[in-house]
Amino acid sequence: MSSRRYVRGWSALSLAVGAVLAGTAAPSPTGPDTAGDADRDVPAASVPDTLPPTVVSVDGCPGGGGLCAGLRRTVPLRAGAGGGSGPGSVPVLTGTPFTLDAKASGPVELALRTGGVLADVTVTDRRGRRIAGATGEDGTRWTSSAPLPAGGRYAARLVVERAGTDGPRRTHARLEFRTAGVPTGDRLTVSFGPDDGGTYGVGHPVTAELSHPVPVDDPRARRAVERALDVRAEPRVEGSWYWIDATTLHYRPRGYWPARATVRVHSGLDGTRITGDLYGGPSRPLAFTTGARIEAVTDVAAHRKRVYRDGRLLRTLPVTTGKAGYRTRSGTKVVLGKEPVVRMRGDSIGIARGSDDFYDLKVRWATRVTWSGEYLHAAPWSLDAQGSEDVSHGCTGMSTEDAAWLFRTVREGDLVRVVNGYGEPMSPFGNGFGDWNLGWAEWLRGSAFGPGVPRPAADPGPAAGGLDPAL
């Protein structure tokens, strides 16, 4: 919800609507004279003398100060069809649906303005999904955990408990409200990776490409975006987003993804105010699975590559890696893709034609691990060196048979680690997926919810208002 006027940190709310809730053990009046008449009071006969009407207000700017408080008005509830069941049940009462103005900002608050406590509050969206929120310590107000997206319809089911002459009495009510639609204009959308519906290795991060930049000097906007990008895995994992730049985020677990897991990614940006007049738009969700945990570990000093599946050694391969001046990068990499045949030329990495180091070869069974051209591939010309010395220009070479086997064994997202080497460390970003070379504490510093900033609840729901994770 956008605004150009602010009151103590919250936008002005042009219209905040409250509701009178009337409840009783007596049956609710019925008939055409009460249906659709939102301005009529509930007949006095339905309200016992010992239990006067309850007033609940609805705000889009809790904590906004006198302006919001002064704009509240009351709309009487009318009797609705239905009711509870069993002795002492009370009718369900509904209020006229109303719209929070587009200038409202901040979480939505339901506040009890008369005596008693909110014994239970359930707020759902139009799909029946529960909106996360909490009731205050004194029991008189409920606040959503995050702002609700524009253009949404919501229903609040309230139970108000107050003291009666013969003990505690409860009032049940249902209140409907809407948030104003998104103003016309451009939208912030997101494209997720990897491709939807595929199976990937346990090292593949989730990527998010934004259609508009969100600068580092606008932490509030970054938090709004990050809160809305929901990642859920089964089995569950601890994970976090990292802002690579103003338009790119990566998400990874603290450790690798579990083998044979299902990962679902959803954007709740649609209708969420990001900054100024920029709102989120609809984005396509993503779901993928992980395969077995495949790790190919190259020990440079030993000139051996050991390949593991789910911790079990499958095969040991003699290899050769980068010679002096062309050392293979150390650290953890992720398989980016596979090519049965690829042409490799020295000038692609700055080796001049005509020099002793120049090469121009068609290479088979090439498994790519960096965008700059580092591969694991067949190198029949270096069989004598494999297992004993380093003679390549940075790639990991092996026999044609071994390279073909590795090519068939690994998939995109599988892990390739280089240990006991002499090369520069693999960069975290920009030359493939080096995300795993950052420790967890360092990774968390790349989140908009850095040290000292409260983070969203674990495994939040996809709506920007925060769906209840129990659902």
Side-chain angles (χ1 to χ4, degrees):
M1 303 180 186
S2 62
S3 175
R4 290 188 174 88
R5 298 179 57 197
Y6 290 84
V7 179
R8 298 185 186 178
W10 295 103
S11 306
L13 180 64
S14 297
L15 178 63
V17 183
V20 175
L21 280 67
T24 177
S28 170
T30 59
D33 58 330
T34 61
D37 189 356
D39 293 326
R40 294 188 54 171
D41 290 330
V42 176
S46 67
V47 183
D49 294 337
T50 58
L51 194 62
T54 302
V55 177
V56 175
S57 69
V58 181
D59 282 334
C61 51
L67 180 58
C68 284
L71 287 171
R72 296 192 186 101
R73 68 183 179 89
T74 298
V75 174
L77 292 174
R78 60 182 173 82
S85 60
S89 63
V90 298
V92 176
L93 304 174
T94 61
T96 302
F98 59 88
T99 300
L100 298 179
D101 190 84
K103 292 182 179 180
S105 178
V108 168
E109 179 182 275
L110 307 178
L112 189 62
R113 299 298 174 188
T114 51
V117 295
L118 294 171
D120 185 65
V121 177
T122 302
V123 180
T124 56
D125 65 10
R126 69 177 69 191
R127 293 171 58 185
R129 299 175 302 176
R130 188 184 302 168
I131 302 300
T135 304
E137 292 184 2
D138 61 0
T140 63
R141 67 186 63 239
W142 177 95
T143 307
S144 64
S145 61
L148 301 183
R153 298 174 63 93
Y154 304 92
R157 294 170 177 81
L158 311 172
V159 179
V160 178
E161 184 175 284
R162 291 183 292 168
T165 56
D166 56 350
R169 302 290 298 275
R170 287 193 167 190
T171 300
H172 293 233
R174 183 176 187 273
L175 184 65
E176 296 180 357
F177 62 93
R178 296 183 292 266
T179 50
V182 179
T184 58
D186 208 359
R187 298 285 177 268
L188 175 69
T189 58
V190 58
S191 297
F192 294 117
D195 291 340
D196 185 54
T199 298
Y200 300 90
V202 300
H204 206 304
V206 174
T207 63
E209 295 290 338
L210 306 179
S211 62
H212 292 70
V214 180
V216 68
D217 59 359
D218 194 346
R220 186 207 62 80
R222 285 199 166 191
R223 288 193 292 271
V225 170
E226 193 173 328
R227 183 185 293 113
L229 302 183
D230 174 59
V231 181
R232 297 192 181 198
E234 180 61 40
R236 297 181 69 170
V237 297
E238 178 185 4
S240 178
W241 289 101
Y242 189 107
W243 287 80
I244 311 302
D245 53 40
T247 59
T248 308
L249 298 88
H250 285 189
Y251 183 101
R252 50 156 274 207
R254 183 169 188 166
Y256 305 128
W257 297 106
R260 303 168 189 87
T262 299
V263 181
R264 294 183 174 87
V265 188
H266 173 90
S267 169
L269 286 171
D270 195 10
T272 299
R273 178 176 176 267
I274 307 303
T275 181
D277 292 328
L278 180 63
Y279 281 75
S283 300
R284 188 182 296 253
L286 163 70
F288 66 91
T289 57
T290 61
R293 176 169 169 163
I294 301 293
E295 296 178 82
V297 183
T298 300
D299 187 328
V300 174
H303 307 290
R304 293 287 187 274
K305 177 184 290 294
R306 291 179 172 86
V307 182
Y308 300 86
R309 176 186 288 128
D310 294 331
R312 181 175 66 88
L313 179 64
L314 296 180
R315 198 161 175 171
T316 300
L317 315 176
V319 297
T320 181
T321 61
K323 62 185 177 181
Y326 303 96
R327 295 297 189 186
T328 303
R329 296 171 184 83
S330 296
T332 302
K333 305 157 194 176
V334 170
V335 172
L336 303 176
K338 301 188 294 182
E339 301 169 63
V341 179
V342 61
R343 184 182 178 187
M344 297 185 179
R345 301 192 312 273
D347 50 5
S348 67
I349 60 171
I351 301 175
R353 289 179 177 270
S355 71
D356 292 340
D357 277 330
F358 182 79
Y359 55 90
D360 189 344
L361 299 167
K362 286 188 177 179
V363 176
R364 299 186 64 192
W365 310 122
T367 299
R368 189 169 198 150
V369 293
T370 73
W371 299 126
S372 62
E374 183 182 325
Y375 288 83
L376 321 176
H377 63 77
W381 55 85
S382 64
L383 283 175
D384 290 345
Q386 293 165 21
S388 58
E389 59 180 318
D390 298 318
V391 298
S392 84
H393 292 87
C395 291
T396 299
M398 64 201 80
S399 71
T400 301
E401 178 187 354
D402 287 346
W405 176 85
L406 183 66
F407 189 93
R408 294 190 301 267
T409 301
V410 300
R411 58 164 47 98
E412 185 178 339
D414 281 339
L415 301 162
V416 176
R417 294 195 290 123
V418 178
V419 301
N420 300 325
Y422 319 104
E424 294 295 321
M426 174 68 176
S427 59
F429 313 110
N431 196 18
F433 295 136
D435 306 53
W436 305 102
N437 295 290
L438 293 181
W440 186 239
E442 189 174 3
W443 183 266
L444 291 178
R445 285 195 287 271
S447 165
F449 296 91
V453 180
R455 301 181 64 82
D459 207 11
L467 290 179
D468 190 320
L471 300 180

